[in-house]
Amino acid sequence: MPPPVPFHHPVIRGMTFCPRLLPQSLLDTLLEHIDEEQWFDPLNGRNQVMRFGNLPPWLSQLVKISRDLLPNKLRERDPAFDQMIANYYDPGQGLRHHVDLVRRFDDGIVIASLAGSCVMEYRPAENKAEDMCSHILPSHDSVKSEQTHCQQTRNSVQNSKVAAKCPLLGEATQSTTIPILLSPGDVVCLSGPARWEWEHGIPERLEDEWENKRIPRGTRISITLRKLLPDALLMPCDG
């Protein structure tokens, strides 16, 4: 099998998508550590874990793989990431559309899917990045209604040939929403406009339709790696 090839999205500038980048052996190791450390207890509402500063040593391989996806100007920073958030999703659970905290986290965010498949949606952010402060737990709440977006972005999306280049990237809808199928081992890197100008979320549903097939959702586990801005821990979430 040929090695995974990163795909640079032609519409969402700054997004790098690499399907099946994480080998099954690494996924098994990561999930074993998560289970041993009892990160999640969904029956008691514990579906999210964060780490700041020095990340667990057993994340080092994931960190290295993720760093290599960053743009050159971000790849040399040390550390590449000093904040991690792990999320547990029950089948059917969604994630409200959001942009990660813009006053707290730097450019270059990596999302790694460890278990479970889902379609994640990307759409132009409804507010300017400097006005946002979004730190969203996995939620059953309904997503915000779609509003009018930049016409230039809408036109570029409608004229794209995304699906023809990568079967896991969906065609944009008329509401300028771009779906991406995320499966175990897939990794997404967001930098530049993809990080600051696009929001992402997961619709609430028990199954996703993809290429005329229905894909039932199971339990999903993901890890997101981020870099704190200077003095970020001292700043309130005032958005």
Side-chain angles (χ1 to χ4, degrees), residues 26-74:
L26 177 58
L27 296 177
D28 292 341
T29 297
L30 295 173
L31 292 171
E32 287 173 6
H33 280 288
I34 290 172
D35 186 59
E36 289 174 0
E37 298 191 10
Q38 299 181 341
W39 277 9
F40 303 121
D41 186 4
L43 295 180
N44 290 307
R46 192 169 76 239
N47 61 357
Q48 188 178 84
V49 170
M50 296 186 191
R51 293 290 183 269
F52 295 85
N54 295 325
L55 303 181
W58 50 268
L59 285 175
S60 59
Q61 188 175 354
L62 176 62
V63 168
K64 181 182 183 304
I65 291 172
S66 300
R67 183 189 62 217
D68 290 342
L69 293 178
L70 293 173
N72 290 335
K73 64 180 181 179
L74 300 177

Short mmCIF file of all heavy atoms in Angstrom, two decimals, residues 26-74:
data_model
loop_
_atom_site.label_atom_id
_atom_site.label_comp_id
_atom_site.label_asym_id
_atom_site.label_seq_id
_atom_site.Cartn_x
_atom_site.Cartn_y
_atom_site.Cartn_z
N LEU A 26 -0.32 2.53 15.95
CA LEU A 26 -0.28 3.76 16.75
C LEU A 26 -1.65 4.06 17.35
O LEU A 26 -1.75 4.45 18.52
CB LEU A 26 0.20 4.92 15.89
CG LEU A 26 0.22 6.30 16.59
CD1 LEU A 26 1.09 6.27 17.84
CD2 LEU A 26 0.69 7.38 15.63
N LEU A 27 -2.69 3.87 16.56
CA LEU A 27 -4.04 4.07 17.09
C LEU A 27 -4.30 3.17 18.28
O LEU A 27 -4.83 3.61 19.31
CB LEU A 27 -5.08 3.81 16.00
CG LEU A 27 -5.07 4.74 14.78
CD1 LEU A 27 -6.12 4.29 13.76
CD2 LEU A 27 -5.32 6.17 15.20
N ASP A 28 -3.91 1.90 18.17
CA ASP A 28 -4.11 0.96 19.27
C ASP A 28 -3.35 1.41 20.52
O ASP A 28 -3.87 1.35 21.64
CB ASP A 28 -3.65 -0.44 18.86
CG ASP A 28 -4.54 -1.06 17.79
OD1 ASP A 28 -5.68 -0.58 17.62
OD2 ASP A 28 -4.09 -2.00 17.12
N THR A 29 -2.12 1.88 20.33
CA THR A 29 -1.30 2.31 21.46
C THR A 29 -1.92 3.53 22.15
O THR A 29 -2.02 3.60 23.38
CB THR A 29 0.12 2.65 20.99
OG1 THR A 29 0.74 1.47 20.47
CG2 THR A 29 0.96 3.19 22.14
N LEU A 30 -2.36 4.51 21.35
CA LEU A 30 -2.96 5.71 21.91
C LEU A 30 -4.24 5.38 22.69
O LEU A 30 -4.45 5.87 23.80
CB LEU A 30 -3.25 6.71 20.81
CG LEU A 30 -2.04 7.29 20.07
CD1 LEU A 30 -2.48 8.14 18.89
CD2 LEU A 30 -1.17 8.11 21.01
N LEU A 31 -5.08 4.54 22.11
CA LEU A 31 -6.34 4.18 22.76
C LEU A 31 -6.09 3.37 24.03
O LEU A 31 -6.82 3.51 25.02
CB LEU A 31 -7.23 3.42 21.79
CG LEU A 31 -7.76 4.24 20.61
CD1 LEU A 31 -8.46 3.34 19.59
CD2 LEU A 31 -8.71 5.32 21.11
N GLU A 32 -5.05 2.55 24.02
CA GLU A 32 -4.71 1.79 25.23
C GLU A 32 -4.29 2.72 26.37
O GLU A 32 -4.71 2.55 27.52
CB GLU A 32 -3.59 0.79 24.93
CG GLU A 32 -4.04 -0.41 24.11
CD GLU A 32 -2.86 -1.28 23.70
OE1 GLU A 32 -1.72 -1.00 24.16
OE2 GLU A 32 -3.08 -2.24 22.93
N HIS A 33 -3.49 3.73 26.05
CA HIS A 33 -3.07 4.68 27.08
C HIS A 33 -4.26 5.49 27.60
O HIS A 33 -4.37 5.75 28.81
CB HIS A 33 -2.00 5.63 26.51
CG HIS A 33 -0.63 5.03 26.48
ND1 HIS A 33 0.12 4.82 27.62
CD2 HIS A 33 0.14 4.61 25.44
CE1 HIS A 33 1.28 4.30 27.29
NE2 HIS A 33 1.32 4.15 25.98
N ILE A 34 -5.13 5.90 26.70
CA ILE A 34 -6.32 6.64 27.12
C ILE A 34 -7.17 5.80 28.06
O ILE A 34 -7.68 6.29 29.08
CB ILE A 34 -7.13 7.08 25.88
CG1 ILE A 34 -6.38 8.17 25.12
CG2 ILE A 34 -8.52 7.56 26.27
CD1 ILE A 34 -7.00 8.54 23.80
N ASP A 35 -7.31 4.54 27.73
CA ASP A 35 -8.10 3.63 28.58
C ASP A 35 -7.41 3.41 29.93
O ASP A 35 -8.06 3.42 30.98
CB ASP A 35 -8.31 2.31 27.85
CG ASP A 35 -9.24 1.38 28.62
OD1 ASP A 35 -10.39 1.77 28.86
OD2 ASP A 35 -8.80 0.26 28.97
N GLU A 36 -6.09 3.20 29.92
CA GLU A 36 -5.36 2.97 31.16
C GLU A 36 -5.43 4.17 32.10
O GLU A 36 -5.53 4.02 33.32
CB GLU A 36 -3.89 2.64 30.85
CG GLU A 36 -3.69 1.28 30.21
CD GLU A 36 -2.24 1.07 29.79
OE1 GLU A 36 -1.41 2.00 30.00
OE2 GLU A 36 -1.93 -0.01 29.25
N GLU A 37 -5.40 5.37 31.53
CA GLU A 37 -5.44 6.57 32.35
C GLU A 37 -6.86 7.03 32.64
O GLU A 37 -7.06 8.05 33.31
CB GLU A 37 -4.64 7.69 31.67
CG GLU A 37 -3.17 7.34 31.52
CD GLU A 37 -2.32 8.53 31.10
OE1 GLU A 37 -2.84 9.67 31.11
OE2 GLU A 37 -1.14 8.31 30.77
N GLN A 38 -7.84 6.28 32.14
CA GLN A 38 -9.26 6.53 32.44
C GLN A 38 -9.65 7.99 32.17
O GLN A 38 -10.22 8.68 33.00
CB GLN A 38 -9.57 6.15 33.89
CG GLN A 38 -9.31 4.69 34.19
CD GLN A 38 -9.63 4.31 35.62
OE1 GLN A 38 -9.72 5.16 36.51
NE2 GLN A 38 -9.81 3.02 35.86
N TRP A 39 -9.32 8.42 30.97
CA TRP A 39 -9.62 9.80 30.60
C TRP A 39 -11.12 10.06 30.54
O TRP A 39 -11.57 11.14 30.91
CB TRP A 39 -9.00 10.12 29.24
CG TRP A 39 -7.56 10.50 29.33
CD1 TRP A 39 -6.75 10.42 30.43
CD2 TRP A 39 -6.75 11.04 28.28
NE1 TRP A 39 -5.50 10.87 30.14
CE2 TRP A 39 -5.46 11.26 28.83
CE3 TRP A 39 -6.97 11.34 26.94
CZ2 TRP A 39 -4.41 11.78 28.07
CZ3 TRP A 39 -5.94 11.86 26.19
CH2 TRP A 39 -4.67 12.08 26.75
N PHE A 40 -11.89 9.10 30.08
CA PHE A 40 -13.30 9.35 29.83
C PHE A 40 -14.19 8.51 30.76
O PHE A 40 -13.87 7.36 31.08
CB PHE A 40 -13.66 9.02 28.38
CG PHE A 40 -12.85 9.80 27.37
CD1 PHE A 40 -12.06 9.14 26.43
CD2 PHE A 40 -12.87 11.19 27.37
CE1 PHE A 40 -11.33 9.85 25.51
CE2 PHE A 40 -12.12 11.91 26.44
CZ PHE A 40 -11.35 11.24 25.51
N ASP A 41 -15.29 9.12 31.16
CA ASP A 41 -16.33 8.45 31.93
C ASP A 41 -17.66 9.01 31.45
O ASP A 41 -18.28 9.84 32.12
CB ASP A 41 -16.14 8.69 33.43
CG ASP A 41 -17.12 7.89 34.27
OD1 ASP A 41 -17.90 7.11 33.69
OD2 ASP A 41 -17.13 8.07 35.50
N PRO A 42 -18.12 8.59 30.26
CA PRO A 42 -19.30 9.22 29.66
C PRO A 42 -20.55 9.09 30.50
O PRO A 42 -21.42 9.96 30.44
CB PRO A 42 -19.42 8.49 28.32
CG PRO A 42 -18.64 7.23 28.46
CD PRO A 42 -17.53 7.54 29.41
N LEU A 43 -20.67 8.03 31.28
CA LEU A 43 -21.87 7.87 32.10
C LEU A 43 -21.98 8.96 33.16
O LEU A 43 -23.07 9.29 33.61
CB LEU A 43 -21.87 6.48 32.77
CG LEU A 43 -21.99 5.28 31.82
CD1 LEU A 43 -21.97 3.98 32.62
CD2 LEU A 43 -23.27 5.38 30.98
N ASN A 44 -20.84 9.52 33.53
CA ASN A 44 -20.83 10.60 34.52
C ASN A 44 -20.50 11.94 33.89
O ASN A 44 -20.14 12.89 34.59
CB ASN A 44 -19.83 10.28 35.63
CG ASN A 44 -20.31 9.13 36.51
OD1 ASN A 44 -21.42 9.15 37.02
ND2 ASN A 44 -19.47 8.12 36.66
N GLY A 45 -20.61 12.01 32.56
CA GLY A 45 -20.46 13.28 31.88
C GLY A 45 -19.04 13.72 31.61
O GLY A 45 -18.83 14.86 31.18
N ARG A 46 -18.06 12.85 31.83
CA ARG A 46 -16.68 13.24 31.55
C ARG A 46 -16.32 12.78 30.14
O ARG A 46 -15.94 11.63 29.93
CB ARG A 46 -15.72 12.65 32.58
CG ARG A 46 -14.32 13.27 32.49
CD ARG A 46 -13.43 12.90 33.66
NE ARG A 46 -12.93 11.55 33.57
CZ ARG A 46 -13.13 10.60 34.49
NH1 ARG A 46 -13.85 10.84 35.54
NH2 ARG A 46 -12.60 9.40 34.32
N ASN A 47 -16.45 13.70 29.19
CA ASN A 47 -16.20 13.36 27.79
C ASN A 47 -15.12 14.22 27.16
O ASN A 47 -14.95 14.22 25.95
CB ASN A 47 -17.49 13.48 26.97
CG ASN A 47 -18.05 14.91 26.99
OD1 ASN A 47 -17.52 15.80 27.66
ND2 ASN A 47 -19.15 15.10 26.29
N GLN A 48 -14.36 14.92 28.00
CA GLN A 48 -13.30 15.77 27.48
C GLN A 48 -12.15 15.84 28.48
O GLN A 48 -12.37 15.95 29.69
CB GLN A 48 -13.83 17.18 27.19
CG GLN A 48 -12.84 18.07 26.47
CD GLN A 48 -13.44 19.43 26.16
OE1 GLN A 48 -13.43 20.30 27.01
NE2 GLN A 48 -13.98 19.60 24.96
N VAL A 49 -10.92 15.78 27.96
CA VAL A 49 -9.72 15.87 28.78
C VAL A 49 -8.77 16.86 28.13
O VAL A 49 -8.61 16.86 26.91
CB VAL A 49 -9.04 14.49 28.93
CG1 VAL A 49 -7.67 14.62 29.59
CG2 VAL A 49 -9.92 13.55 29.74
N MET A 50 -8.12 17.69 28.97
CA MET A 50 -7.14 18.65 28.46
C MET A 50 -5.81 18.46 29.16
O MET A 50 -5.76 18.03 30.32
CB MET A 50 -7.61 20.09 28.68
CG MET A 50 -8.85 20.48 27.95
SD MET A 50 -9.16 22.25 28.19
CE MET A 50 -10.81 22.36 27.51
N ARG A 51 -4.75 18.79 28.43
CA ARG A 51 -3.41 18.83 29.02
C ARG A 51 -2.72 20.11 28.55
O ARG A 51 -2.86 20.51 27.39
CB ARG A 51 -2.58 17.60 28.60
CG ARG A 51 -3.10 16.28 29.17
CD ARG A 51 -2.88 16.19 30.67
NE ARG A 51 -3.30 14.91 31.21
CZ ARG A 51 -4.52 14.64 31.69
NH1 ARG A 51 -5.43 15.60 31.67
NH2 ARG A 51 -4.80 13.46 32.17
N PHE A 52 -1.98 20.74 29.45
CA PHE A 52 -1.26 21.97 29.13
C PHE A 52 0.21 21.79 29.47
O PHE A 52 0.56 21.08 30.41
CB PHE A 52 -1.83 23.15 29.94
CG PHE A 52 -3.25 23.51 29.58
CD1 PHE A 52 -4.32 22.85 30.18
CD2 PHE A 52 -3.51 24.50 28.65
CE1 PHE A 52 -5.62 23.18 29.87
CE2 PHE A 52 -4.82 24.83 28.32
CZ PHE A 52 -5.88 24.17 28.94
N GLY A 53 1.06 22.47 28.71
CA GLY A 53 2.49 22.41 28.98
C GLY A 53 3.10 21.16 28.37
O GLY A 53 2.92 20.86 27.18
N ASN A 54 3.83 20.40 29.20
CA ASN A 54 4.45 19.16 28.71
C ASN A 54 3.38 18.09 28.51
O ASN A 54 2.68 17.72 29.45
CB ASN A 54 5.50 18.67 29.71
CG ASN A 54 6.67 19.62 29.83
OD1 ASN A 54 7.07 20.24 28.85
ND2 ASN A 54 7.22 19.75 31.03
N LEU A 55 3.26 17.61 27.29
CA LEU A 55 2.26 16.60 26.98
C LEU A 55 2.77 15.22 27.38
O LEU A 55 3.98 15.00 27.51
CB LEU A 55 1.93 16.65 25.49
CG LEU A 55 1.43 18.00 24.96
CD1 LEU A 55 1.12 17.91 23.47
CD2 LEU A 55 0.20 18.46 25.74
N PRO A 56 1.87 14.25 27.59
CA PRO A 56 2.29 12.90 27.96
C PRO A 56 3.31 12.34 26.96
O PRO A 56 3.16 12.51 25.75
CB PRO A 56 0.98 12.11 27.93
CG PRO A 56 -0.09 13.12 28.18
CD PRO A 56 0.40 14.38 27.52
N PRO A 57 4.34 11.67 27.45
CA PRO A 57 5.38 11.13 26.55
C PRO A 57 4.81 10.19 25.48
O PRO A 57 5.36 10.13 24.36
CB PRO A 57 6.32 10.39 27.51
CG PRO A 57 6.10 11.03 28.84
CD PRO A 57 4.65 11.42 28.87
N TRP A 58 3.75 9.48 25.81
CA TRP A 58 3.22 8.53 24.84
C TRP A 58 2.51 9.21 23.66
O TRP A 58 2.11 8.54 22.70
CB TRP A 58 2.29 7.51 25.49
CG TRP A 58 1.22 8.06 26.39
CD1 TRP A 58 1.28 8.28 27.74
CD2 TRP A 58 -0.10 8.45 25.98
NE1 TRP A 58 0.10 8.79 28.20
CE2 TRP A 58 -0.77 8.90 27.15
CE3 TRP A 58 -0.78 8.46 24.77
CZ2 TRP A 58 -2.09 9.35 27.14
CZ3 TRP A 58 -2.10 8.92 24.75
CH2 TRP A 58 -2.74 9.35 25.92
N LEU A 59 2.39 10.53 23.71
CA LEU A 59 1.86 11.28 22.59
C LEU A 59 2.96 11.75 21.63
O LEU A 59 2.68 12.42 20.63
CB LEU A 59 1.08 12.51 23.07
CG LEU A 59 -0.30 12.25 23.67
CD1 LEU A 59 -0.88 13.56 24.21
CD2 LEU A 59 -1.24 11.64 22.64
N SER A 60 4.22 11.43 21.95
CA SER A 60 5.34 11.99 21.19
C SER A 60 5.29 11.64 19.71
O SER A 60 5.61 12.48 18.85
CB SER A 60 6.67 11.54 21.80
OG SER A 60 6.77 10.12 21.78
N GLN A 61 4.90 10.42 19.37
CA GLN A 61 4.85 10.05 17.95
C GLN A 61 3.75 10.82 17.23
O GLN A 61 3.95 11.28 16.09
CB GLN A 61 4.64 8.54 17.79
CG GLN A 61 4.77 8.07 16.34
CD GLN A 61 4.69 6.56 16.20
OE1 GLN A 61 4.65 5.82 17.21
NE2 GLN A 61 4.64 6.07 14.97
N LEU A 62 2.60 10.97 17.88
CA LEU A 62 1.53 11.75 17.28
C LEU A 62 1.96 13.21 17.12
O LEU A 62 1.66 13.84 16.09
CB LEU A 62 0.27 11.66 18.13
CG LEU A 62 -0.91 12.51 17.67
CD1 LEU A 62 -1.38 12.09 16.28
CD2 LEU A 62 -2.07 12.43 18.67
N VAL A 63 2.66 13.75 18.10
CA VAL A 63 3.13 15.13 18.02
C VAL A 63 4.09 15.29 16.85
O VAL A 63 4.01 16.27 16.10
CB VAL A 63 3.80 15.54 19.35
CG1 VAL A 63 4.57 16.85 19.18
CG2 VAL A 63 2.77 15.66 20.45
N LYS A 64 5.00 14.34 16.68
CA LYS A 64 5.96 14.43 15.56
C LYS A 64 5.26 14.38 14.22
O LYS A 64 5.55 15.18 13.32
CB LYS A 64 6.98 13.30 15.66
CG LYS A 64 8.03 13.35 14.55
CD LYS A 64 9.00 12.18 14.65
CE LYS A 64 10.08 12.28 13.58
NZ LYS A 64 9.52 12.38 12.21
N ILE A 65 4.32 13.46 14.08
CA ILE A 65 3.58 13.35 12.82
C ILE A 65 2.81 14.64 12.55
O ILE A 65 2.78 15.14 11.42
CB ILE A 65 2.63 12.14 12.88
CG1 ILE A 65 3.42 10.83 12.89
CG2 ILE A 65 1.65 12.16 11.71
CD1 ILE A 65 2.58 9.59 13.13
N SER A 66 2.22 15.19 13.60
CA SER A 66 1.42 16.41 13.45
C SER A 66 2.30 17.61 13.11
O SER A 66 1.93 18.45 12.28
CB SER A 66 0.63 16.68 14.74
OG SER A 66 -0.24 15.61 15.03
N ARG A 67 3.45 17.69 13.75
CA ARG A 67 4.37 18.81 13.47
C ARG A 67 4.79 18.82 12.01
O ARG A 67 4.93 19.88 11.38
CB ARG A 67 5.59 18.71 14.37
CG ARG A 67 6.58 19.89 14.20
CD ARG A 67 7.85 19.63 14.95
NE ARG A 67 8.53 18.44 14.45
CZ ARG A 67 9.19 17.58 15.20
NH1 ARG A 67 9.28 17.75 16.51
NH2 ARG A 67 9.77 16.52 14.65
N ASP A 68 4.99 17.65 11.44
CA ASP A 68 5.44 17.57 10.05
C ASP A 68 4.38 18.07 9.07
O ASP A 68 4.71 18.34 7.91
CB ASP A 68 5.83 16.13 9.71
CG ASP A 68 7.11 15.69 10.41
OD1 ASP A 68 7.86 16.56 10.88
OD2 ASP A 68 7.34 14.47 10.50
N LEU A 69 3.13 18.18 9.52
CA LEU A 69 2.08 18.69 8.65
C LEU A 69 1.98 20.21 8.69
O LEU A 69 1.32 20.82 7.84
CB LEU A 69 0.72 18.09 9.05
CG LEU A 69 0.53 16.59 8.82
CD1 LEU A 69 -0.84 16.16 9.31
CD2 LEU A 69 0.70 16.23 7.35
N LEU A 70 2.63 20.84 9.68
CA LEU A 70 2.56 22.29 9.81
C LEU A 70 3.31 22.98 8.68
O LEU A 70 4.26 22.42 8.12
CB LEU A 70 3.17 22.72 11.15
CG LEU A 70 2.43 22.30 12.42
CD1 LEU A 70 3.27 22.66 13.64
CD2 LEU A 70 1.06 22.96 12.51
N PRO A 71 2.91 24.20 8.34
CA PRO A 71 3.71 24.98 7.38
C PRO A 71 5.13 25.19 7.92
O PRO A 71 5.36 25.14 9.13
CB PRO A 71 2.95 26.31 7.30
CG PRO A 71 1.58 26.02 7.78
CD PRO A 71 1.71 24.91 8.79
N ASN A 72 6.07 25.43 7.03
CA ASN A 72 7.48 25.56 7.43
C ASN A 72 7.68 26.58 8.53
O ASN A 72 8.46 26.37 9.46
CB ASN A 72 8.33 25.91 6.22
CG ASN A 72 8.44 24.75 5.23
OD1 ASN A 72 8.31 23.59 5.61
ND2 ASN A 72 8.67 25.07 3.97
N LYS A 73 6.98 27.71 8.45
CA LYS A 73 7.19 28.78 9.42
C LYS A 73 6.74 28.39 10.82
O LYS A 73 7.18 28.99 11.81
CB LYS A 73 6.47 30.05 8.98
CG LYS A 73 4.96 29.91 8.92
CD LYS A 73 4.32 31.21 8.47
CE LYS A 73 2.79 31.08 8.43
NZ LYS A 73 2.15 32.35 8.00
N LEU A 74 5.85 27.40 10.92
CA LEU A 74 5.37 26.95 12.23
C LEU A 74 6.08 25.68 12.69
O LEU A 74 6.07 25.37 13.88
CB LEU A 74 3.86 26.69 12.17
CG LEU A 74 2.96 27.88 11.81
CD1 LEU A 74 1.51 27.43 11.73
CD2 LEU A 74 3.13 29.00 12.80
#
